[in-house]
Amino acid sequence: MESVADLTAAEDVLLFVNAAVAATGQDEFHTGRERQTWSVDFLHEYMLVNYRDLYAAALALGINDRNKSRIVQRLLSSGADAAPAQRAVEGRLIRRALRDLPASRVYRLFTALQKAKVNNRRTRAVMREWLAARPDLGFEAVKYRGAFKRAAVHAHLDLDGLPGEAGDELAAFLFAPKATGKFRTPLFETWRRAHYERAAVFELPYTVAEGFAAAHRIPRGAFLEGIAPQLTGKERLRLQRSGGEAVALDAAALGRMPLTRLAAYVLAIPADEREERRAELTGALRAAARRTAGDRAGTWGAVAAVLDDSYSASGSTEKRRRPLVVALAAHFLLEALAGEYRPLWLSGNDDALLAKPRGVTALGERILDALETGPETLVVVSDGWDNAPAGLAAEVLRVWAVRLDPQRRTAIVHLNPVFDADGIGVRRLAPGVPTAGIRDAEDLPELVAFARFDDGRSGIAELRAAVDARVERWLAEEDR
């Protein structure tokens, strides 16, 4: 039998993982970023001091990029506190995490390490190794010039020894571009010409070209039309609301988009346009969901979902509609995973494509409706602010567990896309109901499986075994 201390340790680790999945450092509907920053900083420090090995292992557990970066920074800052064997494991985890992070996030991490004066041998080695492995250093030297320059200085990087056609000109480009004259590296030369030649602006990466376009006073419409071929998929998606026809996504681009990102795109479209494009958008969402489900499609049996489209699902000015985006993406993924599926939106909406935030968070009644169908699995996607009436959801779930389903024939999981800074975690529906933070719907199957450790009965030994297995699989991918 697990001791109280073991159960508490497991709760601590799960609390941190859930927070590191959901907390993005941005304003939420109920709480602002200042309180969130304090809460998350506390959890990071607590985990680093008390469970350092599990803190490092969290890099493999689907947490968001912001918190991955913060873990890497803290591990590199405190390497002297770890035993040699632990440092070796941390090194592999850090290298794997940096490989997965977007380049922009890694350069911000390197800048943070430089500002914090973290300059130990392991940090310099990690930075040099990551930079040396980049597939196109010339492109990144242009796109992230300031951060690249700071990283090279901080890591004592031998720029002339780096691979690629830009290697022997990197030092000149970063430190003496005006004294060099013409560059042999095409992109470096394009950057040089863009200072005085308007046509060269449209050959640069979008984020670099923006500054030159402003200097040349190029009208926004003309700039977007000219730079469109250079846009990445993410940049094109971010510009959908303001870019017009020049950056519009075609059917092929929709078909390649990840599920949660596609759901965000769909919900940003006015309702009447969604109605007109119903077949196209629904088909794209279902195709993305099937790709995500993979060989798990149709294997989950009877599934019911309670999906929160209450007013709080509108999110904040920084995270517009993010809770509703996750709920919509989860809806289509659960539809693909289930053999039999019943969705229940809080508002009573029966048309997922036209979902919009409205009304109160009446979770209790909808959970009761879902349980009456006797599903094998009930998934609740909500911020957990049950308020119509307050506490009804917890009472429904308590009575269900104690009186109607003590054998737990129905697996109930609550997935929460919102970090609750005041509660230092993600808000729970009821004690004993597994709760997991969720950032992207693509992680839903793994989160549902992992949430079983959050039922108050699993201790630290069982949790460690599951985490170790996940870390082993994750690191094995490094060699593929």
Side-chain angles (χ1 to χ4, degrees), residues 8-20:
T8 300
E11 290 174 359
D12 289 344
V13 174
L14 289 166
L15 174 68
F16 172 73
V17 171
N18 286 336

Side-chain angles (χ1 to χ4, degrees), residues 379-427:
V379 179
V380 181
V381 183
S382 170
D383 62 11
W385 285 84
D386 180 39
N387 57 22
L392 180 59
E395 184 62 14
V396 166
L397 291 166
R398 184 191 68 80
V399 172
W400 176 263
V402 173
R403 300 283 184 85
L404 301 176
D405 189 21
Q407 291 81 29
R408 302 196 180 196
R409 292 184 297 271
T410 296
I412 303 174
V413 178
H414 172 210
L415 300 179
N416 194 328
V418 176
F419 180 72
D420 178 21
D422 294 335
I424 315 184
V426 291
R427 194 176 182 89

Side-chain angles (χ1 to χ4, degrees), residues 199-389:
V201 173
F202 300 105
E203 301 173 35
L204 292 169
Y206 166 72
T207 52
V208 180
E210 269 195 312
F212 283 109
H216 287 292
R217 298 183 180 180
I218 300 174
R220 183 68 174 172
F223 169 65
L224 289 176
E225 184 176 353
I227 203 67
Q230 306 289 1
L231 294 174
T232 66
K234 288 183 180 180
E235 288 168 347
R236 190 176 291 273
L237 182 61
R238 285 198 298 269
L239 290 167
Q240 288 303 297
R241 293 174 59 85
S242 61
E245 290 297 321
V247 298
L249 293 166
D250 57 21
L254 285 182
R256 294 190 297 268
M257 287 175 66
L259 177 58
T260 305
R261 198 171 298 157
L262 178 59
Y265 167 75
V266 168
L267 288 177
I269 297 172
D272 56 350
E273 185 180 342
R274 276 184 262 169
E275 182 66 65
E276 292 173 6
R277 300 172 60 188
R278 177 178 294 278
E280 174 196 6
L281 297 176
T282 302
L285 285 163
R286 285 187 170 141
R290 286 193 297 270
R291 286 198 309 273
T292 302
D295 56 10
R296 296 168 295 197
T299 64
W300 277 31
V303 176
V306 172
L307 304 161
D308 190 343
D309 59 347
S310 64
Y311 183 66
S312 61
S314 59
S316 65
T317 54
E318 289 187 291
K319 300 176 70 175
R320 295 189 63 182
R321 294 181 296 270
R322 184 67 191 189
L324 186 62
V325 166
V326 175
L328 180 65
H331 160 73
F332 280 97
L333 180 54
L334 289 168
E335 180 185 59
L337 291 167
E340 177 185 338
Y341 177 59
R342 185 185 183 196
L344 294 163
W345 294 88
L346 293 191
S347 68
N349 172 48
D350 59 1
D351 189 342
L353 193 68
L354 299 182
K356 65 178 182 180
R358 53 188 162 180
V360 296
T361 311
L363 284 166
E365 292 182 9
R366 295 309 256 168
I367 289 174
L368 187 58
D369 292 341
L371 290 172
E372 284 179 346
T373 67
E376 296 173 51
T377 304
L378 168 61
V379 179
V380 181
V381 183
S382 170
D383 62 11
W385 285 84
D386 180 39
N387 57 22

